[in-house]
Amino acid sequence: LPETVIWSSAHVSPSGNEETPGDNNTILSSLAFGSFDPNDKLIDPPKGLTIQDVKDNKDVFYTIRFQNTGNYPADRVKILDPIDTTIILNSVRIVSSSHEITSTRVLPSNDRMLEIIYNNIFLPDSASDYTGSQGYVTFAAQRHAETRLTVPTKNQALIYFDFNAPITTNTASTIIETLLKTDDFSNSEFTLHPNPAKNTVNVNVAS
């Protein structure tokens, strides 16, 4: 899979004297992974659920996109999706699909493996019909409230076209979003500018 390194940097400029100026800069790097586009997996909300969302039994939505990039129409498409243990299994439900689904079930041999099958889908190949060669399925799920907030929810799917080897999507991973909060924000000596910002944000905090 292709990899791209994303670099992020931050710098703090204090207004007064600084005892340790060497710790005012930081640089972070992370890898962005891509799958066999558009055979991939999307998640909504992309930043994950908040603590209140979990308490309110809000859904997280997963969309699996697939495309027949072969040279002949696909008669059958099968998707296998292992449901993470942080997800309530009986909360999983199909929301929408580009094509009529033949069957959906949790495999008896694996009590957390979701199977979605499209029989007689006759999905064109991308060379002859680029738009028609694509499809998707979206399902919703809820997270266990008792699961520790630091445990991420990870989800990855396998896409089978006819009898070919599966295409593995990217891993969609989310954590519980913790919101920055203060009970007396309006009266605090705290300013942030510019707003909105693109590359640089200035934060001023009263000493």
Side-chain angles (χ1 to χ4, degrees), residues 45-191:
K47 292 184 178 180
L49 301 173
T50 65
I51 297 174
Q52 190 59 49
D53 287 340
V54 175
K55 292 180 180 179
D56 294 340
N57 298 319
K58 293 288 185 66
D59 289 322
V60 60
F61 297 90
Y62 295 98
T63 297
I64 303 168
R65 300 190 301 175
F66 54 88
Q67 182 178 32
N68 177 15
T69 57
N71 55 14
Y72 196 78
D75 294 334
R76 185 174 190 262
V77 174
K78 180 176 75 172
I79 297 172
L80 293 181
D81 196 316
I83 303 301
D84 195 279
T85 55
T86 62
I87 293 295
I88 303 172
L89 188 61
N90 61 12
S91 73
V92 176
R93 58 186 176 85
I94 302 296
V95 176
S96 63
S97 177
S98 59
H99 299 76
E100 183 178 355
I101 296 175
T102 304
S103 66
T104 303
R105 64 170 180 163
V106 175
L107 294 182
S109 59
N110 187 329
D111 62 1
R112 299 199 69 86
M113 181 69 74
L114 177 66
E115 179 191 69
I116 302 171
I117 292 180
Y118 298 89
N119 283 332
N120 301 318
I121 188 173
F122 302 120
L123 196 68
D125 61 90
S126 56
S128 61
D129 185 354
Y130 184 83
T131 301
S133 67
Q134 302 180 55
Y136 77 90
V137 60
T138 299
F139 67 87
Q142 297 173 5
R143 180 182 167 107
H144 282 290
E146 62 269 20
T147 304
R148 286 186 304 161
L149 302 181
T150 55
V151 177
T153 297
K154 296 183 179 181
N155 196 264
Q156 186 180 51
L158 300 174
I159 306 172
Y160 296 79
F161 295 92
D162 291 330
F163 299 102
N164 295 309
I167 294 175
T168 304
T169 70
N170 56 295
T171 299
S173 180
T174 61
I175 59 174
I176 300 299
E177 185 179 16
T178 303
L179 302 179
L180 179 64
K181 180 182 178 182
T182 177
D183 294 332
D184 193 23
F185 188 82
S186 60
N187 295 325
S188 63
E189 295 296 327
F190 177 96
T191 60

Side-chain angles (χ1 to χ4, degrees), residues 1-4 32-37 39 156 167-171:
L1 299 181
E3 298 181 359
T4 300
F33 295 91
S35 65
F36 294 89
D37 188 35
N39 294 293
Q156 186 180 51
I167 294 175
T168 304
T169 70
N170 56 295
T171 299

